Amino acid sequence: MTAQRLVVIGGDAAGMSAASRARRGRKPGELEITAFERGRFTSYSACGIPYWAGGEVDGPDALIARTAEEHRERGIDLRTRTEVTELDIEGQRVRARDLESGAESWHGYDHLVVATGARPVRPPLPGIDARGVYGVQTLDDGQALIDGLERARGRRAVVIGAGYIGVEMAEALVRRGYAVTVVERAEQPMSTLDPDMGRLVRDAMCGMGIEVVTGAEVTEVRTGPDGEVAAVATDAAEYPADVVVLGLGVRPETSLARAAGLPLGASGGLLTDLAMRVRGHENVWAGGDCVEVWDLVAGRTRHIALGTHANKHGQVIGTNIGGGYATFPGVVGTAVSKVCDLEIARTGLLEAQARAEGLRFVTVTAESTSRAGYFPGARPMTVKMLAERRTGRLLGVQIVGREGAAKRVDVAAVALTARMTVEAMTALDLGYAPPFSPVWDPVLVAARRAAAAVAS
């Protein structure tokens, strides 16, 4: 019996999870697996890069879950520093180029997994490619940034963009002793929150000594005579910089898929079915940051780049290729982050997203504490909740606070997945003791208020 051929493009979470799971599902000799990764590292935690850059964790080795050699020992022909440059879907083959030698070769497949990830947004501004400007997506990017921080002439940093990566990198730079300015086009940082909750993040960042400039459009990255970055210019001011970090988010890396005619969604991410098979293509699969996922609350696809999803996608793909059966039903949009000691969390829909879906809703905000108010270490916490006006169905939750705030969003994520009403949430039997929570947990305080608002 001739072995089937599996080709995987991308050596990180989705791609190598798929390859490893497929290998475990097939008997020896039934499946040949070849994986291509254009970087030097495999199966790593990109989410850990800001904490590596800030000196909180070691890297890069500590961020690698499984090395290339370990994958090879498990029967996967993993080729690093090799980039796939073309997909021939009709001919069931891919063209790969060795980035060291330049040699090119074609590789046939019976199953193809596209796990090309995402790329940092890099706007076409003058000076954006100057020395001293860094995007942060891969371990190679992280190493380049750390090397740049160590050789920088001064200690002034500008972060362009105040999303998750932007605020996390602001913290990393503060930890390294830099004077940090964050420049954001929106009126508040963290566009993944509603503006009123983003304002809380801004106030906290300013209190940490970070200069936060909002409502500002970056027009140019200015350089000195030596070509090194010198400043970031906006439509209203200029901010000196020895280092510039891009925190503008990411977009799906689907240039290969687009050129091959594979179906893409509104964000440019690949469209798949529940089994993570690319729509209309029986033997082509896709997962990770290059795909759009089903939003269980909004009832449509959207692009959400998270390692948790990527690993699950890979498990689903590998199970199906390995002869089993698995599906990925969708997400509710849960994410957590922090900047210094401020914790930030959200799940479900924002107000603008709910309006865009044509939903009528109520919003409430509850101020509470992480522990019983009298217990030492109790810290303030703000919980915002959205509920559908007619049904009372929970639509979204945002939380900003200190220690003990962020992971409370998991209660809301479960409630969203179960399509619970805010009234039903008030009866949840959550754990209580003064060191951990007030008698009424902050999430349940918000649920009570939302239930009252729906009923009024």
Side-chain angles (χ1 to χ4, degrees), residues 442-453:
V443 173
L444 298 191
V445 172
R448 290 179 69 183
R449 294 185 181 180

Side-chain angles (χ1 to χ4, degrees), residues 342-418:
L342 184 75
E343 299 184 2
I344 307 159
R346 58 76 48 89
T347 189
L349 303 180
L350 305 181
E351 286 192 39
Q353 293 170 331
R355 290 191 193 96
E357 299 301 329
L359 294 168
R360 297 182 61 200
F361 58 92
V362 300
T363 66
V364 297
T365 301
E367 305 287 342
S368 186
T369 55
S370 57
R371 304 173 180 179
Y374 57 81
F375 199 88
R379 303 297 300 274
M381 183 186 314
T382 303
V383 180
K384 181 174 182 177
M385 187 169 288
L386 281 68
E388 190 173 18
R389 180 171 292 279
R390 181 176 61 84
T391 66
R393 176 172 66 104
L394 179 67
L395 296 178
V397 172
Q398 300 160 56
I399 304 175
V400 175
R402 259 69 184 188
E403 182 183 2
K407 287 296 283 181
R408 276 182 161 89
V409 80
D410 288 342
V411 174
V414 172
L416 282 167
T417 303

Side-chain angles (χ1 to χ4, degrees), residues 38 116-122 137 249-255:
R38 62 186 175 187
T116 45
R119 64 183 184 279
V121 173
R122 203 176 188 100
Q137 181 69 14
V250 297
R251 292 187 181 130
E253 178 50 84
T254 50
S255 53

Side-chain angles (χ1 to χ4, degrees), residues 155-177:
R155 284 293 182 267
R156 301 169 302 179
V158 174
V159 179
I160 302 176
Y164 289 113
I165 292 296
V167 299
E168 289 171 356
M169 287 309 308
E171 175 184 355
L173 293 163
V174 166
R175 286 182 172 276
R176 280 190 168 259

